[in-house]
Amino acid sequence: QVQLAESGGDLVQPGGSLRLSCLASGFTFSTYTVGWFRQAPGKDREFVGALGWGAGRSAYYADSVKGRFTISRDNTKNTMYLQMNSLKPEDTAIYYCAADRRPYGVPQTMARTQIVYLGQGTQVTVSS
């Protein structure tokens, strides 16, 4: 079955950087759009960004993280990453990696439908 395992969450100061990783198994990783969601205390789950499966690997990000966060993937390791720079206190949340439920999707669809497999989450806290 599909399994997604995040790692890398930590406490970081405002303005700092952090990289999350997610190891995937149970599906053909290279043919699926993957992404990240987050959920802050008392708030709904929020789309962060997604990265397509193809050679072009188009990316799509939420406005709140655009220009600060970057998603990448290594298909040889079945692993995706979320590089977070210029972190703000409002980025504090549990971060979940995600994979589309079907292959060959596009990032914008993941953002719109949020029909995904999710990992267990990793805590990111931005505070001085």
Side-chain angles (χ1 to χ4, degrees), residues 17-55:
S17 297
L18 195 64
R19 190 176 83 154
L20 306 182
S21 300
C22 176
L23 177 63
S25 62
F27 62 104
T28 307
F29 182 76
S30 62
T31 64
Y32 281 70
T33 286
V34 294
W36 293 86
F37 290 77
R38 68 185 181 185
Q39 187 165 20
K43 295 189 176 182
D44 292 335
R45 189 179 70 193
E46 175 189 22
F47 170 81
V48 173
L51 181 64
W53 60 275

Side-chain angles (χ1 to χ4, degrees), residues 33-116:
T33 286
V34 294
W36 293 86
F37 290 77
R38 68 185 181 185
Q39 187 165 20
K43 295 189 176 182
D44 292 335
R45 189 179 70 193
E46 175 189 22
F47 170 81
V48 173
L51 181 64
W53 60 275
R57 296 182 185 175
S58 61
Y60 182 73
Y61 296 96
D63 288 343
S64 58
V65 306
K66 199 174 296 181
R68 299 188 299 123
F69 289 12
T70 303
I71 298 173
S72 60
R73 64 192 297 166
D74 185 341
N75 289 340
T76 66
K77 297 180 179 179
N78 280 9
T79 301
M80 68 182 93
Y81 305 96
L82 178 64
Q83 178 67 45
M84 303 183 290
N85 299 327
S86 302
L87 282 161
K88 306 174 183 179
E90 52 263 41
D91 294 318
T92 295
I94 299 174
Y95 282 72
Y96 301 89
C97 61
D100 249 347
R101 292 260 176 173
R102 295 181 178 181
Y104 311 120
V106 297
Q108 290 82 351
T109 301
M110 177 179 282
R112 185 177 72 251
T113 67
Q114 301 198 11
I115 300 174
V116 294

